[in-house]
Amino acid sequence: MTFGISTLSDPSALRPGIYSSVLQGFGLINLNNTTGTFSTRGVFRLIEGSSNNFDLVLSGLWNPYIGFGDADAGNTYAALTFNRDAVLNALHQRYAALNAAMEYDCNRFDKHGLCLSFQARATGWGNQSSDAGVLNAAYRVTDKVRAGVYLDYQAAQATPLASNTLTGGVKWNHDNPTFGAYIGWSDSPDGTGVQARVSGGYSSGELTITRGALNLTEPGSGAAGLNGFYAYGLAGYGVPVGHGIVVTPYGGLRFTDVTRDAYSENFNPSATIYPISYDAYYEQLITGLSGVKIQAMLGERLGCQAGLGGEFDFSRNASGYNGSSQIPGMAAWAIAHGGTWNGVRPAGSAGVFYNFSEKDRLSLNGYMGEQAWTSRSYETLLAEYRMAF
């Protein structure tokens, strides 16, 4: 009899070790072979234990990255640490984009009580960036209350370590729009009196995440969702101080959640024999906001604004970079989150606007801040054309 492993077998089910008593009732004289290979991945041997009773021994599964044997657990941990850093960068990029979305508002109305805004957004964080087009519309419910919705479509993004075969990295597969809604209150259109707004938004996207191929490790790859959510409330009181200047002290509260969903790497019999599974990786923050904004008219149609404030976290929660594996020594693996909490952070804004008429405004605004898990700053530039109907 010719002995072998069927090509119909699931390659992912094979593991190095001994399979006891797979063949019974035959002697060596009845076998044409006692060794062989399976799909170029492994070497097997039949070893006679007791009389006419053979055990199957898989001495190692083969791939071009580790040869025969198991992936090295230490180097796999190192590759996963590189992976964590790349994914952490993607989380922080989404966090910066959500902070920009919290500024979306439309508050110029005419006889039909409608406001329409078109914006171009550019957000940068270190050597990362994202660019988007924004459509924003609002309806004047009463003289003081407005309700609006927006759609932020991220058209381009740049992420480091996206294609490094040694350290791995992330690549954006697609990026669905960020969408949200808000309700605002204004005592007066010129910004005096009580000014308040609450809003919420959600964004979704997908990443391809590649685990780097360090020495004696396998290259793993898989896709996972990257989702973000926020709820935001801000209130201030505008005080006119003369010469067209309005000073508005403000305070607020913000909740953010950015999560890379759980996923498993793809099994590939020629490269990834031990695909790794990953738990969800997330950051959650409840943050207080306070500061002061100043708006001034520099002429009949030209004006400017500036703001300076701070952020401080009431609550923070972040998961470790964890998961499971069938690699010997890595049944359940865990790597620390990787960020350093930056609990008190400055924030500021500056911009100019030009009123073509009471119905049309062109503006350019910049917003600056710091991330909660690193002191690295992020910047957003918004160019907007706003119309009242």
Side-chain angles (χ1 to χ4, degrees):
M1 186 180 74
T2 297
F3 183 84
I5 299 176
S6 171
T7 57
L8 299 178
S9 300
D10 180 5
S12 65
L14 289 175
R15 296 292 178 263
I18 299 176
Y19 294 76
S20 300
S21 303
V22 298
L23 192 62
Q24 302 178 51
F26 290 84
L28 285 174
I29 193 172
N30 303 118
L31 299 174
N32 287 335
N33 65 297
T34 57
T35 63
T37 61
F38 171 66
S39 188
T40 72
R41 291 184 55 242
V43 173
F44 68 83
R45 292 179 295 151
L46 285 178
I47 297 180
E48 189 175 14
S50 58
S51 177
N52 295 340
N53 185 14
F54 291 86
D55 297 334
L56 173 66
V57 180
L58 295 180
S59 58
L61 300 178
W62 183 91
N63 72 38
Y65 293 91
I66 61 176
F68 293 101
D70 301 322
D72 181 86
N75 284 351
T76 301
Y77 269 108
L80 287 170
T81 301
F82 286 124
N83 233 31
R84 177 207 62 187
D85 294 343
V87 173
L88 191 63
N89 283 339
L91 263 63
H92 290 170
Q93 184 186 78
R94 181 49 53 89
Y95 176 89
L98 287 178
N99 276 7
M102 297 176 200
E103 301 294 337
Y104 298 157
D105 195 4
C106 207
N107 58 3
R108 293 175 70 83
F109 303 96
D110 200 30
K111 60 182 180 179
H112 297 294
L114 297 175
C115 179
L116 189 62
S117 166
F118 302 94
Q119 297 183 69
R121 173 179 65 80
T123 299
W125 180 76
N127 54 357
Q128 300 181 85
S129 65
S130 66
D131 302 318
V134 183
L135 176 63
N136 187 357
Y139 176 71
R140 183 174 57 196
V141 181
T142 70
D143 288 342
K144 296 184 178 182
V145 177
R146 65 189 179 276
V149 294
Y150 70 82
L151 186 69
D152 174 308
Y153 187 81
Q154 185 165 294
Q157 60 279 320
T159 304
L161 300 178
S163 58
N164 189 313
T165 57
L166 291 179
T167 61
V170 301
K171 179 181 179 182
W172 297 82
N173 296 354
H174 61 79
D175 196 60
N176 294 335
T178 300
F179 56 89
Y182 57 88
I183 297 176
W185 172 286
S186 294
D187 275 349
S188 175
D190 64 3
T192 59
V194 175
Q195 306 291 323
R197 181 165 51 89
V198 294
S199 69
Y202 175 79
S203 68
S204 64
E206 187 179 74
L207 301 173
T208 292
I209 306 169
T210 301
R211 173 165 53 97
L214 301 183
N215 188 36
L216 295 179
T217 70
E218 299 174 324
S221 183
L226 179 65
N227 305 306
F229 167 79
Y230 79 84
Y232 171 82
L234 194 73
Y237 192 89
V239 180
V241 297
H243 305 288
I245 300 174
V246 178
V247 178
T248 307
Y250 68 86
L253 193 65
R254 178 178 72 208
F255 170 77
T256 54
D257 181 313
V258 181
T259 300
R260 187 228 62 208
D261 294 337
Y263 75 101
S264 295
E265 294 173 345
N266 302 317
F267 173 78
N268 181 348
S270 66
T272 309
I273 298 172
Y274 298 117
I276 292 178
S277 296
Y278 299 78
D279 299 336
Y281 185 50
Y282 61 85
E283 295 177 344
Q284 298 173 342
L285 293 165
I286 298 177
T287 304
L289 314 169
S290 66
V292 62
K293 296 181 180 180
I294 300 175
Q295 179 175 296
M297 294 303 299
L298 304 178
E300 183 179 351
R301 298 180 181 275
L302 181 65
C304 65
Q305 69 86 18
L308 183 62
E311 304 176 356
F312 44 93
D313 296 324
F314 291 117
S315 172
R316 65 188 188 278
N317 186 24
S319 66
Y321 199 70
N322 307 328
S324 59
S325 168
Q326 293 183 339
I327 297 174
M330 290 186 61
W333 55 271
I335 300 174
H337 171 268
T340 301
W341 180 52
N342 180 26
V344 179
R345 307 176 292 276
S349 65
V352 295
F353 58 86
Y354 184 83
N355 296 324
F356 295 101
S357 68
E358 293 182 356
K359 299 181 181 181
D360 304 86
R361 170 178 287 187
L362 183 65
S363 63
L364 183 65
N365 294 294
Y367 301 89
M368 292 78 54
E370 288 185 354
Q371 293 278 358
W373 299 98
T374 174
S375 59
R376 186 181 295 177
S377 64
Y378 67 89
E379 304 82 26
T380 291
L381 188 65
L382 290 175
E384 178 189 25
Y385 179 63
R386 187 177 299 184
M387 297 177 292
F389 297 92

